[in-house]
Amino acid sequence: METLQLEVLTPSGPIFNGAAKSVTLPGEEGEFGVLPEHVALTTLLQAGVVDIQKENGTTESIVVNWGVVQITNNKVVVLVDGAVAIRGENEGDIAKALDEAKSLINSIADSNAMIASVSARIESAAHHLV
């Protein structure tokens, strides 16, 4: 099974580093997916949700505020200013992550539409985990 190497890095350190089947990113022109063998690309990211399809078939979601992605030779490096992984061992952990994600988006969003869109995606991601 072909995979790509994905790194999601923040100023405080990596939030994800591993193999993935695919990743969906919030580009400035809209969401776009990256599969293994994707053409080389560097582009800006806006606030949104990074969805990672892991090797085991599960999906992990990471809320980001803004940054850049560089894709080269089956490696995807996402450099973001702030990120919150929607993950946890129980509903309490996940609820805490959701609150942190909403705070992250609210702190940078300059439009109510962006907050509403990302909040809806966060809620959707949470339902898949619980």
Side-chain angles (χ1 to χ4, degrees), residues 6-11 15-16 23-28 31-32 44-52 60-69 77-86 97 100-109 114-115 117-119 121-122:
L6 173 66
E7 288 182 57
V8 180
L9 306 171
T10 71
I15 197 162
F16 185 94
V23 60
T24 303
L25 299 157
E28 279 200 319
E31 279 189 345
F32 67 98
L44 294 173
L45 299 176
Q46 65 178 8
V49 180
V50 175
D51 285 321
I52 303 160
E60 179 165 327
S61 297
I62 299 173
V63 176
V64 300
N65 56 3
W66 59 271
V68 65
V69 60
V77 179
V78 179
L79 302 169
V80 290
D81 176 65
V84 177
I86 308 301
E100 289 175 14
K102 286 177 184 174
S103 295
L104 176 72
I105 296 305
N106 287 336
S107 71
I108 59 96
M114 175 68 72
I115 295 172
S117 168
V118 173
S119 292
R121 289 289 310 281
I122 291 168

Side-chain angles (χ1 to χ4, degrees), residues 2-6 20-25 27 30-43 45 69-77:
E2 240 185 307
T3 60
L4 48 83
Q5 183 65 25
L6 173 66
K21 289 182 184 179
S22 68
V23 60
T24 303
L25 299 157
E31 279 189 345
F32 67 98
V34 178
L35 296 167
E37 305 299 330
H38 194 284
V39 65
L41 172 72
T42 300
T43 190
L45 299 176
V69 60
Q70 184 174 38
I71 304 165
T72 53
N73 299 329
N74 251 10
K75 184 169 185 178
V76 179
V77 179

